[in-house]
Amino acid sequence: MDLLQQIVARAKANKQRIVLPEAEEERTLRAADRVLADELANIILIGNPEAIKADAEKYGLTNIDKATIIDPLNNPRSEEYAELLAELRKKKGMTIEQARELVKNPLYLGCMIIKTEGADGQISGALSTTGDTLRPALQIIKCAPGITCVSGAMLLITKQPQYGENGVVVVGDVAVTPMPDANQLAQIAVCTAQTAKSVAGFEDPRVAMLSFSTKGSAQHEVVDKVVEATQLAREMAPELKIDGELQADAALVPSVGAKKAPGSDIAGNANVLVFPNLEVGNIGYKLVQRLGDAIAIGPILQGIARPVNDLSRGCSVDDIYYMVAITACQAMDAK
């Protein structure tokens, strides 16, 4: 069973309630139909019920009637949600009138449903920008306890089983925070390790904090940041297996790790890689994906109290289907 099949199996075993706020979009609706047919998750669709049902009939989708459909313009809980949103945002000056308009926005409405424990996670991005996806999540659901920095992890499925976890490596941040400071980098490390457990199914995440230096082989303030972040991550999560700073080859190759970082439990044995900044992370995973012919799954947003994930506007039905499974796995862990 490959990793995606394992993720789907875990999601099916403990069905979560996932909101799809772009329900009038064709790929989203087709993915929802497949999710419902496979009993992968319980789906909440936000959109005009008549339009959704008409599209389902048009596309030959026979399972949409199993979903809960919420009309954002005719929702009996709108006033309740508006009052709660106004309370949550009153320090930012939000009025009840502004809140009433926002809860008609499917992205905000979905996050309000999660906030009031009516759902476990949300996925958007087929029509919306990353900013539009993240804004209501951060305003309403907020970050997980002890976390102030949202980041994005990527699952890299390579054809090199000697590396990572049988060829699978989880990396972060590849999507959100351009220049994390030491504290933010420590948070990214802890969150990426958690994603490795909840989504990739790693029983034993082993985190390498990457740099161009290994254990003092080079001196620079950016190396100092990685060293500091490693110590902060250890303090945040004492149970976490983590070491740094390590060069990529020292993190992944046992012989190199033994030579460059003797005595390290992580060197040569890492299955989670934390990049020092977003520039390195984004370039690095794309090089592995293209030159190494690896499968890249994500980005998977992490650090939010309940999972809210972002899709590419060029996403496929398969992308949405598997992101539902990933979000469900995250949701189990967030409870």
Side-chain angles (χ1 to χ4, degrees), residues 316-334:
S316 66
V317 172
D318 277 356
D319 292 335
I320 302 171
Y321 177 88
Y322 287 117
M323 191 56 80
V324 169
I326 287 168
T327 306
C329 289
Q330 288 180 290
M332 294 176 213
D333 192 64

Side-chain angles (χ1 to χ4, degrees), residues 113-176:
I113 294 169
I114 294 170
K115 183 70 173 180
T116 54
E117 300 186 356
D120 303 303
Q122 176 167 292
I123 302 163
S124 60
L127 295 174
S128 310
T129 65
T130 297
D132 287 341
T133 292
L134 275 176
R135 194 173 301 109
L138 294 177
Q139 290 179 1
I140 296 167
I141 303 171
K142 305 184 184 300
C143 288
I147 302 296
T148 61
C149 171
V150 175
S151 56
M154 189 73 68
L155 311 184
L156 293 177
I157 305 174
T158 78
K159 297 178 180 178
Q160 305 296 326
Q162 69 271 32
Y163 300 133
E165 200 76 10
N166 195 31
V168 178
V169 181
V170 182
V171 300
D173 173 22
V174 299
V176 182

Side-chain angles (χ1 to χ4, degrees), residues 15-286:
K15 289 171 66 177
Q16 302 294 299
R17 302 162 297 173
I18 306 300
V19 181
L20 299 178
E22 299 169 326
E24 295 179 47
E25 194 276 330
E26 180 179 352
R27 293 162 297 171
T28 301
L29 202 56
R30 289 185 180 277
D33 187 75
R34 183 176 162 192
V35 166
L36 292 163
D38 291 351
E39 298 187 348
L40 176 62
N42 296 313
I43 293 296
I44 299 169
L45 300 174
I46 298 180
N48 181 279
E50 289 74 23
I52 291 170
K53 290 172 184 176
D55 283 344
E57 185 174 350
K58 174 183 174 182
Y59 305 139
L61 308 178
T62 59
N63 296 281
I64 293 302
D65 60 351
K66 299 175 185 176
T68 299
I69 301 176
I70 297 176
D71 185 347
L73 303 182
N74 187 25
N75 177 15
R77 298 187 68 180
S78 283
E79 188 63 20
E80 172 193 345
Y81 290 152
E83 290 175 0
L84 176 56
L85 179 57
E87 178 65 23
L88 289 170
R89 301 293 294 166
K90 67 179 181 181
K91 290 183 179 179
K92 298 295 183 179
M94 182 175 289
T95 66
I96 186 63
E97 290 78 14
Q98 291 170 326
R100 284 172 179 146
E101 286 303 308
L102 281 176
V103 298
K104 297 175 185 177
N105 179 318
L107 301 179
Y108 275 82
L109 175 54
C111 288
M112 291 305 303
I113 294 169
I114 294 170
K115 183 70 173 180
T116 54
E117 300 186 356
D120 303 303
Q122 176 167 292
I123 302 163
S124 60
L127 295 174
S128 310
T129 65
T130 297
D132 287 341
T133 292
L134 275 176
R135 194 173 301 109
L138 294 177
Q139 290 179 1
I140 296 167
I141 303 171
K142 305 184 184 300
C143 288
I147 302 296
T148 61
C149 171
V150 175
S151 56
M154 189 73 68
L155 311 184
L156 293 177
I157 305 174
T158 78
K159 297 178 180 178
Q160 305 296 326
Q162 69 271 32
Y163 300 133
E165 200 76 10
N166 195 31
V168 178
V169 181
V170 182
V171 300
D173 173 22
V174 299
V176 182
T177 304
M179 290 295 293
D181 59 26
N183 182 266
Q184 291 173 321
L185 194 58
Q187 294 178 38
I188 291 167
V190 172
C191 289
T192 306
Q194 192 57 53
T195 296
K197 290 179 69 175
S198 63
V199 177
F202 289 6
E203 293 183 5
D204 185 31
R206 301 178 297 276
V207 183
M209 304 292 282
L210 298 185
S211 175
F212 63 85
S213 168
T214 297
K215 297 298 184 179
S217 65
Q219 303 296 317
H220 194 278
E221 61 185 20
V222 298
V223 177
D224 295 340
K225 180 182 77 170
V226 175
V227 174
E228 182 183 356
T230 303
Q231 183 56 40
L232 289 172
R234 286 172 174 153
E235 294 170 4
M236 287 178 62
E239 76 287 353
L240 183 61
K241 295 181 179 179
I242 183 170
D243 200 7
E245 85 284 13
L246 296 170
Q247 290 164 288
D249 57 352
L252 290 170
V253 184
S255 60
V256 177
K259 182 177 181 180
K260 290 187 175 183
S264 170
D265 293 334
I266 303 300
N269 196 35
N271 53 19
V272 176
L273 305 178
V274 177
F275 297 114
N277 60 51
L278 179 55
E279 184 175 38
V280 176
N282 190 270
I283 293 169
Y285 99 74
K286 288 182 178 178

